[in-house]
Amino acid sequence: MNKSIFNLQFSIFNQKEKGQALIVVILTLLVVSVVVLAAASRSITDVKLSQTSEESARAFSAAEAGVEEAAEKIRAGTIIIGADNNVTLPNNANTSYVVSKQGSSNLAFLSSTPLAGDTDDFQTYLANKDDFSGSYTGAICLLWGNSGTPSDSQTPAVSAVILYKNPSSVTRRQFVIDSAASARNNFTPANNDASCLKQVLALENNLTIDRTFAFAHKMDIPVVDGYSPVLLRIRLLFNKDTAHYVGIKPVSGALPSQGYKISSIGSSGQTARKVDVFQSYPSLPAVFDFALFNDSGTLSK
Amino acid sequence: MTRKSLLITVCLLLFLFLSRGITYADPTTDTTTDINIDLTGGNPGTTASGDQGSLLEWGMVQQTNETQVWGRLEDGTWGPTGQTGTITYNQSQPQPGGGYFRDVNGNLTQDPNQDAQQGILTEAGYVSNNTSQEWIDRINNASSRGAAIHAAALCGCWRSVFGDDGDGDGSPPIPTPTPTPTPIPPAGNWLKVSGGTVFSRGAINMSVAPPSGQFNSTSLVLSGGSISNFTSSANWLVPNYFSSDSIPDFDNFVKSLLSKSGVERYEGSRSLSSLGSLDNQKKAVIIEGDMVIDTNFTPANASTAFIVKNKINISPSVSQVNAILLSWGGIDTAVSSTRLTVNGMLLSYGHITLGRTSSDPNSPAETVNYEPRLLLDMIDILTIVNIKYKIVNRL
């Protein structure tokens, strides 16, 4: 009797053990599956990310390729303003770019790079480039010098040359504004007019960055004897070692277009990138501001 | 035969010997011309570095069977230069006993004692038939020789230049020591620059100031050294100015221009007259060699820039050039009494040599009128600077 009972119990217990093993096996398989699936999922995600990253880089490069082609066409004088340009590139990439003229703007026009020494020029159109119509004839603020520039022998002065035009001829006026404590060489001392704030906020300039200048000078550029201002060229004097930013700010009204806007969209696969580039209108080297330039030895007669 | 007749015979034979081969032209005939002399063969026997600019005076000395170019160098030595250049001389052959000289006012005069006035001569007469060494010795002994403005173009004879003193031996008169005359530059020997900045890497040193009421410059004047006899109506004179300017590489400059319309390029040297008409065009002409401006340049309805790798030489007869002149090797306006006007720009990364003379104080020898129209017309052609900045957007 007891043995029977024992056998029965053992039998039942044995059957329970067999069930437990099955559960253990199933749980084990489940855990392994989860691990495998997680690893696979991560791997797939990595591949997708890698693909996206590659496509993104390819799209960005394609957009830049469009910018370069547009810039070359501008340089060669073959660009068609406003036209869509589509270019198919290798590796399933392509680019589409449009060149337009930047509109007139009442924002300050700042140099994107500092002017080195006394040979870099910063050029601002005061009239439409194509036909020199629509001159800006109000007052402007000349802004120059990095914030904190001391007043010493190397304090930069500014040479501002304005070209004026009437229907048949061109003339030129030059101003030299000195920022030193006492103006050198009979130059005009900087007036640091209160309406010419030296701090230009990001929303107030073409570069959308905050910039503070050391010196400011307000000057009028009216029509003179039937000649309208068309071009302003700025160069620093006495500047040796430090490159300085410069800028022009219209006191009232808007400056005309200063260059081209190149909008280029590059795409690769499902990814697209857009690059907007401003390219200023052509500017001549500083040597062409001189009537006589003798770069070697004494000028004698 | 008496000793006297023997002496006469010897003198006669000597005269015939010295006079052989001479063809005397009318000395009053002014037939000024240029002769070109090859001076490229180095500089034997001298210590000069070799360019024409190092000579204080120079000339051609013709001996019996050879012609040599002799020059006086900055160190005072005198000898065959072996250099090249053009000298202007007068072909009129004076009679023996008198020299013919062109002074700074352009007058042709005859004076057997010109050695005392040599310092203000611009050119000497063409004479012949003598030994060069005597002439050289004479030049060496001339007290004012170092102040000569222009070369003597001589075929030999110091005797004809300085005159036979008539003592029978054919020699010139012994020079009487005279006080060194101070050379008086002509009153019109000044430079006028209108409407643009003047820059000189070194000093600005003019021998003649402009007359009262006139100015050398109407604008900014920047000089790496002192400034003398040079005025600005704006009173913007900056002596001892340091410029950070560095000379741009010609090839890189040209490379950035070549694909543009309006650019014309020539390999090697060119003269202006060989380029053809540039009327009715806006053009940058690139010359990868020397350029000789051998004719006036006043194109109709045109804007022109000459971009020259080496030197720009302006011929003495040229009086007007309406263009931008930009040279990497220097600009020479040439020694000439013809006044020169450049309506454009006179730009050199080398040295500018101003050689024109003018006797009229109200008419400067050289005038540069900055022409801003050229800047506007060339703004799409000579561009090398563009400012870019970019904004990247993710779509």
Coordinates of all heavy atoms in Angstrom, one line a residue, chain A residues 41-79:
Chain A
S41 N 18.6 43.5 -34.5 CA 17.9 44.8 -34.7 C 18.9 46.0 -34.6 O 18.9 46.9 -35.4 CB 16.9 45.0 -33.5 OG 16.4 46.3 -33.5
R42 N 19.8 45.8 -33.7 CA 20.9 46.9 -33.6 C 21.7 46.9 -34.8 O 22.1 48.0 -35.3 CB 21.7 46.6 -32.3 CG 22.9 47.5 -32.2 CD 23.4 47.6 -30.8 NE 24.4 48.7 -30.7 CZ 24.7 49.3 -29.6 NH1 24.1 48.9 -28.5 NH2 25.6 50.2 -29.6
S43 N 22.0 45.8 -35.3 CA 22.8 45.7 -36.5 C 22.1 46.4 -37.7 O 22.7 47.2 -38.5 CB 23.1 44.3 -36.8 OG 24.2 44.2 -37.7
I44 N 20.8 46.1 -37.8 CA 20.0 46.7 -38.9 C 20.0 48.2 -38.7 O 20.2 49.0 -39.7 CB 18.6 46.1 -38.9 CG1 18.7 44.6 -39.4 CG2 17.7 46.9 -39.8 CD1 17.4 43.8 -39.2
T45 N 19.8 48.6 -37.5 CA 19.8 50.1 -37.2 C 21.1 50.7 -37.6 O 21.2 51.8 -38.2 CB 19.5 50.3 -35.7 OG1 18.3 49.7 -35.4 CG2 19.4 51.8 -35.4
D46 N 22.2 50.0 -37.2 CA 23.5 50.6 -37.5 C 23.7 50.7 -39.0 O 24.2 51.7 -39.5 CB 24.6 49.7 -36.9 CG 24.8 49.8 -35.4 OD1 24.2 50.8 -34.9 OD2 25.5 49.0 -34.8
V47 N 23.3 49.7 -39.7 CA 23.4 49.7 -41.2 C 22.6 50.9 -41.7 O 23.1 51.7 -42.6 CB 23.0 48.4 -41.8 CG1 22.8 48.5 -43.3 CG2 23.9 47.3 -41.4
K48 N 21.3 51.0 -41.2 CA 20.5 52.1 -41.7 C 21.1 53.5 -41.4 O 21.1 54.4 -42.2 CB 19.1 52.0 -41.0 CG 18.2 51.0 -41.7 CD 16.8 51.1 -41.1 CE 15.9 50.2 -41.8 NZ 14.5 50.2 -41.2
L49 N 21.7 53.6 -40.1 CA 22.3 54.9 -39.8 C 23.5 55.2 -40.7 O 23.7 56.3 -41.1 CB 22.8 54.8 -38.3 CG 21.7 55.1 -37.2 CD1 22.3 54.9 -35.9 CD2 21.3 56.6 -37.4
S50 N 24.2 54.1 -40.9 CA 25.4 54.3 -41.8 C 25.0 54.7 -43.2 O 25.6 55.6 -43.7 CB 26.2 53.0 -41.8 OG 27.3 53.1 -42.7
Q51 N 24.0 54.1 -43.6 CA 23.5 54.5 -45.0 C 23.0 55.9 -45.0 O 23.3 56.7 -45.9 CB 22.3 53.6 -45.4 CG 22.7 52.3 -46.1 CD 21.5 51.5 -46.6 OE1 20.4 51.6 -46.0 NE2 21.7 50.7 -47.6
T52 N 22.3 56.3 -43.9 CA 21.7 57.6 -43.9 C 22.9 58.6 -43.8 O 22.9 59.7 -44.5 CB 20.8 57.8 -42.6 OG1 19.8 56.8 -42.7 CG2 20.2 59.2 -42.6
S53 N 23.9 58.3 -43.0 CA 25.0 59.2 -42.8 C 25.7 59.4 -44.1 O 26.1 60.5 -44.5 CB 25.9 58.6 -41.7 OG 27.1 59.4 -41.6
E54 N 25.9 58.3 -44.8 CA 26.6 58.3 -46.1 C 25.8 59.1 -47.1 O 26.4 59.9 -47.8 CB 26.9 56.9 -46.6 CG 27.8 56.8 -47.8 CD 28.0 55.4 -48.2 OE1 28.0 54.5 -47.4 OE2 28.1 55.1 -49.4
E55 N 24.5 58.9 -47.1 CA 23.7 59.6 -48.1 C 23.7 61.1 -47.7 O 23.7 62.0 -48.6 CB 22.3 59.1 -48.1 CG 22.2 57.7 -48.8 CD 20.7 57.2 -48.8 OE1 19.9 57.7 -48.0 OE2 20.5 56.2 -49.5
S56 N 23.7 61.4 -46.4 CA 23.7 62.8 -46.0 C 25.0 63.5 -46.5 O 25.0 64.6 -47.0 CB 23.6 62.9 -44.5 OG 23.7 64.2 -44.1
A57 N 26.1 62.8 -46.2 CA 27.4 63.4 -46.7 C 27.4 63.5 -48.2 O 27.9 64.5 -48.7 CB 28.5 62.5 -46.2
R58 N 26.9 62.5 -48.9 CA 26.9 62.6 -50.3 C 26.0 63.7 -50.8 O 26.3 64.4 -51.8 CB 26.4 61.2 -50.9 CG 26.7 61.0 -52.3 CD 26.3 59.6 -52.8 NE 27.1 58.6 -52.2 CZ 26.7 57.4 -51.8 NH1 25.4 57.1 -52.1 NH2 27.5 56.5 -51.3
A59 N 24.8 63.9 -50.1 CA 23.9 65.0 -50.5 C 24.6 66.3 -50.3 O 24.4 67.2 -51.1 CB 22.6 64.8 -49.7
F60 N 25.3 66.4 -49.1 CA 25.9 67.7 -48.8 C 27.0 68.0 -49.9 O 27.1 69.1 -50.4 CB 26.5 67.6 -47.4 CG 27.2 68.9 -47.0 CD1 26.5 70.1 -46.8 CD2 28.6 68.9 -46.9 CE1 27.2 71.2 -46.4 CE2 29.3 70.1 -46.5 CZ 28.5 71.2 -46.3
S61 N 27.8 67.0 -50.2 CA 28.8 67.2 -51.2 C 28.2 67.5 -52.6 O 28.7 68.4 -53.3 CB 29.6 65.9 -51.4 OG 30.3 65.6 -50.2
A62 N 27.1 66.9 -52.9 CA 26.4 67.2 -54.1 C 25.9 68.7 -54.1 O 26.0 69.4 -55.1 CB 25.2 66.3 -54.3
A63 N 25.4 69.2 -53.0 CA 25.0 70.6 -52.9 C 26.1 71.5 -53.1 O 26.1 72.5 -53.7 CB 24.3 70.8 -51.5
E64 N 27.3 71.1 -52.5 CA 28.5 72.0 -52.6 C 29.0 71.9 -54.0 O 29.5 73.0 -54.5 CB 29.6 71.5 -51.7 CG 29.2 71.8 -50.2 CD 30.5 72.1 -49.4 OE1 31.4 71.4 -49.5 OE2 30.5 73.2 -48.8
A65 N 28.8 70.8 -54.7 CA 29.3 70.7 -56.1 C 28.4 71.7 -56.9 O 28.9 72.4 -57.8 CB 29.1 69.3 -56.6
G66 N 27.1 71.8 -56.6 CA 26.3 72.7 -57.3 C 26.7 74.2 -57.1 O 26.7 75.0 -58.0
V67 N 27.1 74.5 -55.8 CA 27.6 75.8 -55.5 C 28.9 76.1 -56.3 O 29.0 77.2 -56.9 CB 27.9 75.9 -54.0 CG1 28.7 77.2 -53.7 CG2 26.6 75.9 -53.2
E68 N 29.8 75.2 -56.4 CA 31.0 75.4 -57.1 C 30.8 75.7 -58.6 O 31.4 76.5 -59.2 CB 32.0 74.3 -56.9 CG 32.5 74.1 -55.5 CD 33.2 75.4 -55.0 OE1 33.9 76.0 -55.8 OE2 33.0 75.8 -53.8
E69 N 29.9 74.9 -59.1 CA 29.6 75.1 -60.5 C 28.9 76.4 -60.8 O 29.3 77.1 -61.7 CB 28.6 74.0 -61.1 CG 28.4 74.1 -62.6 CD 27.6 72.9 -63.1 OE1 28.2 71.8 -63.0 OE2 26.5 73.1 -63.7
A70 N 28.0 76.8 -59.9 CA 27.4 78.1 -60.0 C 28.4 79.2 -59.9 O 28.4 80.2 -60.7 CB 26.3 78.3 -58.9
A71 N 29.3 79.1 -58.9 CA 30.4 80.1 -58.7 C 31.2 80.3 -60.0 O 31.6 81.4 -60.4 CB 31.2 79.8 -57.5
E72 N 31.6 79.1 -60.6 CA 32.4 79.2 -61.8 C 31.7 79.8 -62.9 O 32.3 80.6 -63.7 CB 32.8 77.7 -62.2 CG 33.7 77.6 -63.4 CD 34.9 78.5 -63.4 OE1 35.5 78.7 -62.3 OE2 35.4 79.0 -64.4
K73 N 30.4 79.5 -63.0 CA 29.6 80.2 -64.1 C 29.5 81.7 -63.9 O 29.5 82.5 -64.8 CB 28.2 79.6 -64.2 CG 28.2 78.2 -64.9 CD 26.8 77.7 -65.1 CE 26.7 76.4 -65.8 NZ 25.4 75.9 -66.1
I74 N 29.4 82.1 -62.6 CA 29.3 83.5 -62.3 C 30.6 84.2 -62.7 O 30.7 85.2 -63.3 CB 29.1 83.8 -60.8 CG1 27.6 83.3 -60.4 CG2 29.3 85.2 -60.4 CD1 27.4 83.3 -58.9
R75 N 31.7 83.5 -62.3 CA 33.1 84.0 -62.7 C 33.3 84.2 -64.2 O 33.8 85.1 -64.7 CB 34.1 83.1 -62.1 CG 35.5 83.8 -61.9 CD 36.5 82.8 -61.3 NE 36.8 81.7 -62.3 CZ 37.7 81.9 -63.2 NH1 38.4 83.0 -63.3 NH2 38.0 80.9 -64.1
A76 N 32.8 83.2 -64.9 CA 33.0 83.2 -66.3 C 31.9 84.0 -67.0 O 32.0 84.2 -68.3 CB 32.9 81.7 -66.9
G77 N 30.9 84.5 -66.3 CA 29.9 85.3 -66.9 C 28.9 84.6 -67.7 O 28.2 85.1 -68.6
T78 N 28.7 83.3 -67.4 CA 27.8 82.5 -68.2 C 26.5 82.1 -67.4 O 25.7 81.3 -67.9 CB 28.4 81.2 -68.7 OG1 29.0 80.5 -67.6 CG2 29.6 81.6 -69.7
I79 N 26.4 82.6 -66.2 CA 25.3 82.2 -65.4 C 24.0 82.8 -65.9 O 24.0 84.0 -66.3 CB 25.5 82.5 -63.9 CG1 24.5 81.8 -63.0 CG2 25.4 84.0 -63.6 CD1 24.7 80.3 -62.9

